[in-house]
Structures are given as structure tokens and as C-alpha cells.
Amino acid sequence: DGLLMFVMWAIMMMAMMLPSAAPMILIFARVNAKQRDNGNAYVPTVIFAAGYLFVWSLFSLLATGVQWGLQNAALLSPGMVSTSMYLGGALFIAAGIYQWTALKQVCLKHCRSPLEFILHHWRPGATGAFRMGLGHGAFCLGCCWSVMALLFVGGVMNLIWVAVIAIFVAVEKIFPHGHWVGRIAGLAMIASGGYLIV
């Protein structure tokens, strides 16, 4: 059961995070293609993507453990939705507050500026590409982990809720003024959490 749970989380994280990481992956591929055209060593883009997905696989492992613990404590329904208004409210409030923290803004800045990330973090070779993927994945995780925790509120298997979170992450990371969308959403999360608790 634990293995199946982990696979479910890993596939879900890939489906949710790869669309918002697409600009970074495409820029890496373009820069790498120019390296090849200039006679330098070429590294398949899949190595960079593998580093990125490795970070989210570690998150999936952690999420599996959290889900298992919540289920054993009877805080998740069979549909994998929080059965506690206090838990749901606390997760909303924590995610909302995190939207306004300096750490969130630093991580979001790296996610929103793929070219700047390439310029400051470029490493040659396959090992370098994998490390770059790890680095970008770490920034992405730092940006989105609290929002992913809201899956326990709306339902881990609720495809509409999964889609809403994935769209929110993409808007925050890709669209102009996305950081303000994230901050305003943070206020809405805090209000929603307060409503659930009250």
C-alpha cells in the first residue's frame, strides 16, 4: 500500500509541476543546443529534468509518510480528505502565511526567471545538468510545498482540486504579476483557514 501511495504521489507531482517547469526546461534545451552547435559537449535535456523530478520524488516520499500518519490518526477520510476542520484550517493558514514570507519570494523569483537561473547556475556536463535540475527543483519545492499540503484539505484524489492547485502554481510562476496573485491568494487562504476553524 505504501509503495502504491508513493507512486500515486510521484505521478501526481510530475503531472502538476512539469507544466510550470516547462519554460525552464525549454530554455535549458535551447542553451544546450547552442553549446552543441559551438562544438561543446551536449547533454540530453532529460538529465536536467531527471534532477528536477528527483526533488519532487523526495517530496512524494515525505507526502506518503504524512498521508500514512494522517490515515492512522483517522484524520483523513477514505477519499483522502481531511476529516478535521482544525487540520484543514491550520493547513490553509500556514500556506497563506508562507505566501508572504521572504523564503517564498526568493524561491519564486528563481522559478520565475529561468534565464537568470541558467546564467547564475550553469554547470557543464551530465553531472552538472543533473545538479542544475536538483537546484531548480529545490527552488520550486521551496516555492510550492505549502500549497501542495492543501491537497490534504480538498482531497488528494480530487482531480478538480489537483487541477486548481496546478493552475495556481503555473499562474504564480509564469504569468506577469504572478507573485501578486500568490500574495492575494495567500490572504484568501488565511481567511479560508479562519473560516474552517471558526
Side-chain angles (χ1 to χ4, degrees):
D1 287 346
L3 179 59
L4 290 174
M5 201 182 296
F6 167 73
V7 170
M8 175 202 71
W9 272 100
I11 291 172
M12 184 166 57
M13 289 301 101
M14 289 179 198
M16 292 176 75
M17 299 312 300
L18 279 176
S20 65
M24 178 70 234
I25 294 170
L26 292 173
I27 287 177
F28 177 87
R30 193 172 304 150
V31 170
N32 210 18
K34 285 188 178 179
Q35 292 280 330
R36 178 183 56 193
D37 294 342
N38 292 334
N40 297 321
Y42 174 77
V43 178
T45 304
V46 71
I47 295 176
F48 174 86
Y52 179 83
L53 292 175
F54 181 78
V55 172
W56 283 102
S57 296
L58 292 179
F59 174 81
S60 299
L61 190 60
L62 176 64
T64 300
V66 170
Q67 181 177 334
W68 194 7
L70 291 174
Q71 284 178 333
N72 287 338
L75 292 172
L76 281 184
S77 71
M80 294 182 231
V81 180
S82 171
T83 58
S84 167
M85 291 297 178
Y86 295 109
L87 174 62
L91 288 174
F92 262 123
I93 291 171
I97 291 171
Y98 187 71
Q99 291 294 110
W100 285 83
T101 63
L103 177 59
K104 162 75 180 193
Q105 299 309 312
V106 167
C107 292
L108 182 59
K109 181 182 176 186
H110 283 280
C111 290
R112 288 179 56 82
S113 307
L115 192 55
E116 187 176 329
F117 179 86
I118 290 282
L119 290 173
H120 289 92
H121 299 276
W122 181 265
R123 299 179 190 281
T127 303
F130 188 79
R131 287 177 64 191
M132 286 177 65
L134 288 177
H136 187 65
F139 283 124
C140 193
L141 178 59
C143 176
C144 303
W145 69 269
S146 62
V147 177
M148 293 304 164
L150 297 180
L151 287 166
F152 291 116
V153 182
V156 175
M157 296 301 292
N158 182 337
L159 294 182
I160 294 174
W161 188 238
V162 169
V164 166
I165 292 176
I167 290 168
F168 169 73
V169 167
V171 167
E172 189 179 38
K173 288 170 63 177
I174 297 172
F175 281 66
H177 308 296
H179 60 289
W180 282 110
V181 172
R183 288 184 172 187
I184 293 167
L187 295 177
M189 291 172 197
I190 293 170
S192 299
Y195 174 79
L196 284 176
I197 290 172
V198 171

